[in-house]
Every structure is written in C-alpha cells, then in structure tokens.
Amino acid sequence: LPADLARRSDRDRILMGPDAPADVPVRIIAEPGTSDTGPRVLARVWVDVSRLNFETKKDRRMQHLMVIAALLDDAGNFVVGRQALTDLALRNRSFEALSSAGLTVSLSLHASPGVYNLRVLVQEDLTGKRTAVTSSITLH
C-alpha cells in the first residue's frame, strides 16, 4: 500500500506541476463546446499503441493505461478532472489493428466559462512511463 500511495503522490505532483515527461507517444485534441449542462471541453487522447510496452500472457499482449484530464485555473488550482483506466489484453489481430489506428480515449470535463489550462497525463502501468501535456483552453 505505501508503494501505491507513493505512486499516486508522484502522479498527482506531475498532474498539478510544470513537468512535461514525454515517454508515452500521445496526441491530445481539446475541443471546447457546450453540453446540456453548460460549457465543457472534450479531451481526445490518442495513444500510439505500437510504441507501448506489453507483457505477453498466453496469446495476449497485456497493458494497463491510465489517462487523467484536469482543468486548472490561472493560479494552478484543480477545478475538475476525470480519469479513464484502460486494460488491454490484445490478441495479434487486435494489436495489429490498434497499432495502425491508435487508441483514442475521450474525457469530457464540465466547468464554468473561463480560461483554463487543460492538463492531460497518460501513464502505462507496466513500466511507469508517462506523458504530461498542457494546453490553454477557453470555455464560453
């Protein structure tokens, strides 16, 4: 359990801080817009599956990905966040398909109108490699 707490603390530090590790090949597309409940940003996180590390068990390639998207205000305070966990257990055909197309994880964040920093953290579980990306976004 202490190792989990240390890993979570380290993850939170990177999510909320200026560090920009780039170990996992990702592209982020942020789409501001509105929904039934008001302003929102849709963060689409594309992961290059062909460049991830996998553990092979029987006939499957195994990997666990965590994607966190958060909106931070201009003072760097956490406003809202979402997390997605993806467990991959891919047979060869699925791995080949995802390797050519990539894997897209979408997270929707709702907040009041304003200017925010969208912070996205992607971490693979097998090696602990991660990428953190920040972009400014305005919600109307």
Side-chain angles (χ1 to χ4, degrees):
L1 188 67
D4 278 354
L5 287 175
R7 186 180 289 176
R8 187 177 306 132
S9 170
D10 189 43
R11 185 174 60 228
D12 290 349
R13 180 186 56 77
I14 289 173
L15 182 66
M16 299 300 292
D19 292 354
D23 302 325
V24 178
V26 301
R27 283 197 308 261
I28 312 296
I29 299 169
E31 301 171 0
T34 56
S35 71
D36 298 346
T37 58
R40 68 138 173 89
V41 60
L42 182 62
R44 294 186 196 275
V45 182
W46 178 87
V47 181
D48 184 347
V49 173
S50 70
R51 295 181 45 210
L52 293 177
N53 295 295
F54 285 89
E55 179 180 21
T56 304
K57 288 188 180 173
K58 297 186 179 169
D59 63 339
R60 294 182 183 265
R61 297 176 197 218
M62 313 291 285
Q63 177 58 275
H64 180 79
L65 287 177
M66 178 184 48
V67 179
I68 301 173
L71 289 178
L72 309 177
D73 67 16
D74 58 0
N77 298 309
F78 179 89
V79 176
V80 63
R82 303 271 318 259
Q83 173 177 295
L85 302 174
T86 304
D87 285 311
L88 300 175
L90 306 174
R91 289 195 170 103
N92 279 339
R93 183 174 295 171
S94 299
F95 174 76
E96 288 164 13
L98 273 179
S99 288
S100 61
L103 172 70
T104 300
V105 177
S106 298
L107 296 168
S108 184
L109 301 169
H110 299 258
S112 302
V115 177
Y116 299 94
N117 278 318
L118 171 65
R119 184 78 168 159
V120 177
L121 174 66
V122 179
Q123 180 171 317
E124 68 160 55
D125 203 44
L126 202 58
T127 63
K129 288 183 178 179
R130 55 180 68 137
T131 292
V133 179
T134 306
S135 61
S136 181
I137 191 141
T138 302
L139 297 182
H140 299 282

